[in-house]
Amino acid sequence: MPLIQPDPTFYPSAREAMLAPREGLAYVALLDTTGEERPDGLATIDLSDGSIVDVHDMSVPGDELHHFGWNVCSAALCPYAPHPHVERRYLVLPGLRSSRIYVFDVKDDPRRPKLVKTIEPETIFKKTGYSRPHTVHCGTDAIYVSALGNVDGDAPGGVFTLDHDTFEPQGRWEADRGPQRLHYDFWWHLGHDTMITSEWATPNQIEPGPSLELLTGRGYGHRLHVWDLTKRRHLQEIDLGDRHQMALELRPAHDPTRTYGFVNTVVDVEDLSSNIFTWYLEDGVWKARKTITIPAEPADPELLPEPLKQFGAVPPLVSDISLTLDDRILLVSAWGTGELRAYDVSDPFAPRQTGSVRIGGIVRRDAHPAAPDRALNGGPQMVEASRDGRRVYFTNSLYRSWDDVFYPDGISGWMAKVDVADDGSLTLDPGFFTDFAADGRRAHQIRLQGGDSSSDSYCFP
C-alpha cells in the first residue's frame, strides 16, 4: 500500500532544517517604477551565479508586488494540525496597492513558475472587509495574510486567511481585536499559542509617501499586539514609545520553547536613529526592551533629499531584519545609510555586532566589487538568510512612493549576496550581483527555493 510522505522540504525543527540541501533558486518580486505602464513581475534567479533565468509578468499594471510567501511549510508537521497531503509548491503573491492576489505553481518547473489562480480585489473586499494584503505566512490550519487597512484604506487593518487547498478567502481572522487598529506584520509562538502583530500606518497614510507631518506628530505605529492564537482574541498591547515610529518586521525565535523575538522601528523622531527591540515573556506578561540602537550619520545637506536637508544627517531607516535558524545571528538592513549589519543575539538582551558591509546608501552610493566604478542607489532593504545561515541575499527597493522621496534620482534594481563566517562577520560575494537595470523594474522581497529563515515556523525544538 502506498504511503503518503510529507514534503521533503518540511522539517520538524529549525535545527534539522539547517541541514537541508543548499538553495538553488530564488524568487524575487519586481516592481514597475511607474505603476501604470507595465505589470509587475516575478523573477527566478539562479543562485549559482545570480543570473536571471525567468521573469513572469503579472496580468495588469499597478499591483505593487511587495511581500509574498509559501502556501505551506514546516508548520504542517505540528502534531495538532498535520496536513500530510500538502506540498510547498505554490507562491502566494499579494498586490499591496491593487489588493489582487496571484498564486504561482513552482512544482513542475521550478525555474519557470506558472500562474494558476488570481484572486480579484472584489472577492477579498467582500469576504474579509480588508484591503492592501501585505505579509503571507503558512500556518498550521490555513494561509494567513495581513492587510494594512479596510476597504476604504483606513483602519482597522488585520489578518485574514486563505484555504490551504482552494486559496479562497475564508474571512477575517480576529474574533476580538480589542484596541488594535493599525497593522503591519504578524508572526507567532506556536508552542505558546500566541500571535504577535506590529504597526505601520493605514494605506491612505502610506501610499502618498512618507509624511514629515505624520512623523513629527508621532502618528505612525509604535505598538506590538499580543493575541491568543486559538481564540483569535487580543490579549495585550506593548507600547514601544511614540518616539519610535513604524514598528515593522517581527522575527520570533525559531525554537518553539523560546518566548522572545525581535522587532525593528524605522526612525526615532528625537535623534533619527533606528532601533531594535526584544520582546519577551516574563511572569506571564509580554514585555519589550530596546536592545540595539543604530545612530544617524552626519551628512552634507546638499547631498541629501529634500525631507532630510534640514537635519543634516542620514537616518539608517532600518526596514528589514532576518534571524538565522539557530537564533544566533540577526541581520539588520539600514536602507538609508546603505549598510547591512550582523549581530550575535545568542543573548537576546545583549546583542553584539559581529559584521557590516556597505553598499548603496542615500549619500555614500557605495559600489559592489563586481562593478567598483558604478555608484549604486538604494541600499540593503529586503534581506533573507539561507536555512544554514551561511548566505544572505538582499535587494534595494522599499516601496515605490517612498523610494522616490529618499532616492529622487530613481532606484535601479539589484540583488546582492553576503557570506556569513563562523564568527558572524560578513563578506560581500564579489561574483554575485544581479542587475535588474535592463529589466527596468525594482527588486523587493526574496523567497528561497525549499524555504528560508523567515518562511517557516516549527513545533519541535
Side-chain angles (χ1 to χ4, degrees):
M1 183 174 113
L3 298 176
I4 297 175
Q5 298 292 330
D7 188 305
T9 70
F10 296 169
Y11 296 88
S13 69
R15 176 174 43 84
E16 292 188 44
M18 292 188 70
L19 303 176
R22 179 168 175 158
E23 65 284 354
L25 299 172
Y27 303 101
V28 180
L30 298 182
L31 168 68
D32 177 59
T33 56
T34 68
E36 299 174 353
E37 298 176 0
R38 183 182 180 192
D40 295 343
L42 175 65
T44 306
I45 310 299
D46 186 330
L47 295 178
S48 66
D49 58 7
S51 61
I52 303 170
V53 297
D54 183 67
V55 177
H56 190 294
D57 291 345
M58 300 304 119
S59 307
V60 295
D63 285 311
E64 188 108 6
L65 295 184
H66 199 66
H67 289 199
F68 62 102
W70 292 104
N71 62 315
V72 290
C73 55
S74 296
L77 298 182
C78 289
Y80 50 84
H83 294 279
H85 65 288
V86 295
E87 301 174 277
R88 190 200 304 266
R89 64 180 290 180
Y90 299 104
L91 287 169
V92 182
L93 280 76
L96 183 55
R97 195 172 288 254
S98 69
S99 299
R100 183 177 293 105
I101 295 179
Y102 299 96
V103 181
F104 281 84
D105 189 345
V106 304
K107 181 178 181 179
D108 293 337
D109 188 353
R111 297 172 71 88
R112 292 170 177 80
K114 178 182 178 182
L115 179 63
V116 294
K117 186 179 181 68
T118 302
I119 307 169
E120 294 297 337
E122 293 75 18
T123 300
I124 295 170
F125 299 161
K126 180 179 179 181
K127 292 190 176 182
T128 73
Y130 287 137
S131 72
R132 281 67 163 204
H134 186 271
T135 299
V136 177
H137 284 313
C138 32
T140 58
D141 53 343
I143 302 167
Y144 286 64
V145 185
S146 68
L148 298 188
N150 62 22
V151 174
D152 297 320
D154 296 317
V159 174
F160 65 91
T161 59
L162 305 176
D163 181 86
H164 259 147
D165 298 307
T166 67
F167 302 102
E168 285 301 308
Q170 297 174 318
R172 65 173 57 191
W173 175 80
E174 300 85 3
D176 178 1
R177 72 172 61 254
Q180 179 267 326
R181 305 296 289 171
L182 299 180
H183 196 75
Y184 181 73
D185 197 9
F186 69 101
W187 251 124
W188 38 58
H189 293 280
L190 291 179
H192 296 266
D193 199 26
T194 299
M195 178 187 279
I196 309 289
T197 64
S198 61
E199 299 183 339
W200 186 6
T202 68
N204 290 335
Q205 293 171 325
I206 295 165
E207 289 173 356
S211 165
L212 188 59
E213 179 181 0
L214 196 60
L215 188 66
T216 56
R218 308 189 182 205
Y220 288 107
H222 49 88
R223 297 178 178 88
L224 303 182
H225 299 273
V226 183
W227 307 77
D228 184 307
L229 187 54
T230 299
K231 295 180 181 179
R232 299 150 52 200
R233 296 183 181 278
H234 189 279
L235 298 176
Q236 189 185 331
E237 180 180 272
I238 305 172
D239 194 338
L240 304 179
D242 64 8
R243 66 183 286 180
H244 300 292
Q245 292 283 281
M246 293 175 271
L248 296 187
E249 305 293 344
L250 302 170
R251 299 292 178 257
H254 295 94
D255 183 335
T257 66
R258 295 171 174 168
T259 51
Y260 67 83
F262 304 92
V263 61
N264 67 293
T265 55
V266 177
V267 62
D268 182 331
V269 296
E270 297 185 11
D271 61 13
L272 298 186
S273 67
S274 291
N275 292 273
I276 308 293
F277 288 77
T278 302
W279 79 76
Y280 59 99
L281 181 63
E282 183 178 72
D283 299 327
V285 179
W286 292 90
K287 302 176 182 179
R289 183 189 307 173
K290 187 195 301 184
T291 50
I292 298 173
T293 294
I294 302 175
E297 299 179 355
D300 181 347
E302 293 302 313
L303 301 177
L304 294 170
E306 194 59 43
L308 298 178
K309 288 184 182 297
Q310 62 182 301
F311 302 109
V314 181
L317 299 178
V318 168
S319 49
D320 196 21
I321 55 177
S322 184
L323 180 64
T324 56
L325 288 187
D326 57 4
D327 297 331
R328 187 173 76 92
I329 300 296
L330 184 72
L331 289 310
V332 179
S333 58
W335 184 66
T337 50
E339 183 181 19
L340 181 70
R341 291 188 175 199
Y343 291 85
D344 186 320
V345 291
S346 301
D347 180 346
F349 301 105
R352 176 177 58 85
Q353 186 175 352
T354 59
S356 169
V357 295
R358 294 273 189 167
I359 182 170
I362 290 174
V363 170
R364 292 176 59 111
R365 306 297 172 105
D366 287 305
H368 189 275
D373 298 326
R374 176 181 167 189
L376 294 178
N377 55 16
Q381 207 283 299
M382 291 308 298
V383 55
E384 193 56 77
S386 62
R387 287 174 295 188
D388 63 5
R390 292 294 189 173
R391 295 164 300 284
V392 179
Y393 306 88
F394 56 96
T395 56
N396 68 326
S397 170
L398 174 64
Y399 183 73
R400 176 160 45 89
S401 58
W402 292 53
D403 289 351
D404 295 343
V405 168
F406 292 109
Y407 292 91
D409 52 328
I411 284 181
S412 180
W414 47 260
M415 183 171 86
K417 167 180 171 283
V418 299
D419 295 312
V420 185
D422 289 341
D423 61 0
S425 59
L426 304 179
T427 305
L428 271 169
D429 182 341
F432 189 106
F433 185 73
T434 305
D435 190 352
F436 295 100
D439 179 275
R441 288 175 287 194
R442 299 173 184 170
H444 194 63
Q445 188 167 37
I446 304 163
R447 285 294 179 206
L448 304 181
Q449 184 184 24
D452 43 59
S453 66
S454 67
S455 63
D456 287 39
S457 47
Y458 306 91
C459 278
F460 298 92

